Amino acid sequence: MSRGKYDPMRHPARTPVGRPLKMNLKHWGLMAALVVGSNVATHVVFNSGVRAEASMVSTASSFGSHSSTSSFYLADRAGQYIYDLPSFHSKVIEVSRRLGVPQEWLLAVMDQESQFNPGVKNFQGSGATGLIQFMPITASELGTTTPELARMGAVRQMDFVYEYLALVRERYGDYKDLTDMYLGILYPKARGGDMCYTLFATPGKSYRQNSGLDEDKDGRVTISDIDRHLKRKNPDAYKVNL
């Protein structure tokens, strides 16, 4: 090691221990400015990050609420088979307005017939398929087939729901209440009949296929049975008036 070069082992400190470093006001001002600036920068960066994260969480939450949930009558049941509930609900509103009925009636009859499964087939073997259980002959009258209906999504199938219910309305008059609308799907000729009107009776095949509607279990499905059945299963929709 050359003479005169600073050796840290031999001279561990150039300033005696206990003696403060001499700093003028200019130096103190500079240090204060650096500290304050550092704190401000840290504060800005930290809070910007918090705001950005909060914004991302809020946006994600908002997106999730709109994409996975919807608030309309029986939405929880419809959501079991229908992925795009907002589009389906918009279609239901459109169809119900064109038919001149509350959307709750339309939703209730689809729940009754198919539980909102657009591809479901009647388990009793009648051949009925879809949201309102189109019979093969009915599908043919509407220009389609039950296999084609089964392959459709719920939103597309709603066009055929409208066509059918509009045709029944044209033939038998406007729908007066939920029971009247359901009769338009199940047995249009019964519309306007009294409460004792019998649609199906044992031991007929039609009775076996619809025995779940026989509320008093007397071997006959009457308009009174259907009215009580709908009131029990869909009380909220049943109370809705035109």
Side-chain angles (χ1 to χ4, degrees):
M1 183 179 293
S2 61
R3 190 184 185 93
K5 186 173 182 180
Y6 175 62
D7 183 353
M9 298 301 296
R10 295 177 60 188
H11 304 278
R14 289 183 180 254
T15 304
V17 176
R19 180 181 295 180
L21 291 171
K22 291 184 180 181
M23 300 183 68
N24 57 32
L25 293 176
K26 182 178 180 181
H27 293 151
W28 281 113
L30 180 59
M31 286 190 66
L34 289 172
V35 171
V36 171
S38 175
N39 288 338
V40 170
T42 301
H43 177 77
V44 170
V45 171
F46 175 77
N47 284 292
S48 296
V50 170
R51 285 195 297 270
E53 182 178 357
S55 176
M56 290 173 66
V57 171
S58 175
T59 301
S61 175
S62 175
F63 177 78
S65 66
H66 286 289
S67 63
S68 61
T69 63
S70 190
S71 57
F72 62 90
Y73 183 58
L74 301 179
D76 55 335
R77 299 187 199 179
Q80 296 179 34
Y81 294 103
I82 301 171
Y83 176 73
D84 189 356
L85 285 179
S87 294
F88 176 70
H89 189 208
S90 295
K91 194 69 175 181
V92 168
I93 292 172
E94 174 195 328
V95 170
S96 63
R97 285 176 178 171
R98 293 175 69 186
L99 291 171
V101 299
Q103 60 175 289
E104 289 85 358
W105 294 1
L106 187 54
L107 289 162
V109 296
M110 288 190 288
D111 176 51
Q112 174 64 38
E113 287 296 272
S114 65
Q115 295 183 330
F116 301 101
N117 183 347
V120 70
K121 296 181 180 180
N122 182 273
F123 68 92
Q124 294 282 3
S126 69
T129 303
L131 293 172
I132 59 171
Q133 291 292 276
F134 298 92
M135 292 293 290
I137 189 171
T138 303
S140 178
E141 289 179 359
L142 298 175
T144 186
T145 64
T146 49
E148 287 176 352
L149 287 166
R151 290 191 292 269
M152 292 179 190
V155 176
R156 175 71 182 94
Q157 200 177 115
M158 283 299 300
D159 289 329
F160 291 93
V161 171
Y162 168 74
E163 287 186 29
Y164 172 77
L165 290 172
L167 183 61
V168 172
R169 182 184 60 177
E170 181 182 334
R171 291 177 181 176
Y172 300 96
D174 292 338
Y175 300 105
K176 299 177 178 61
D177 52 39
L178 175 58
T179 300
D180 186 42
M181 186 172 187
Y182 184 55
L183 287 173
I185 294 171
L186 184 66
Y187 203 100
K189 291 181 180 180
R191 293 186 61 199
D194 60 35
M195 285 295 180
C196 295
Y197 186 104
T198 299
L199 287 74
F200 316 112
T202 189
K205 181 179 179 181
S206 294
Y207 175 81
R208 292 196 303 272
Q209 292 172 340
N210 295 279
S211 59
L213 297 171
D214 187 1
E215 287 286 301
D216 57 13
K217 305 303 178 186
D218 66 349
R220 297 185 306 136
V221 175
T222 65
I223 292 179
S224 177
D225 285 317
I226 292 171
D227 188 71
R228 282 181 288 166
H229 181 81
L230 292 171
K231 185 177 183 179
R232 178 172 60 83
K233 279 201 67 178
N234 298 98
D236 293 333
Y238 186 90
K239 295 175 185 176
V240 176
N241 298 314
L242 286 172

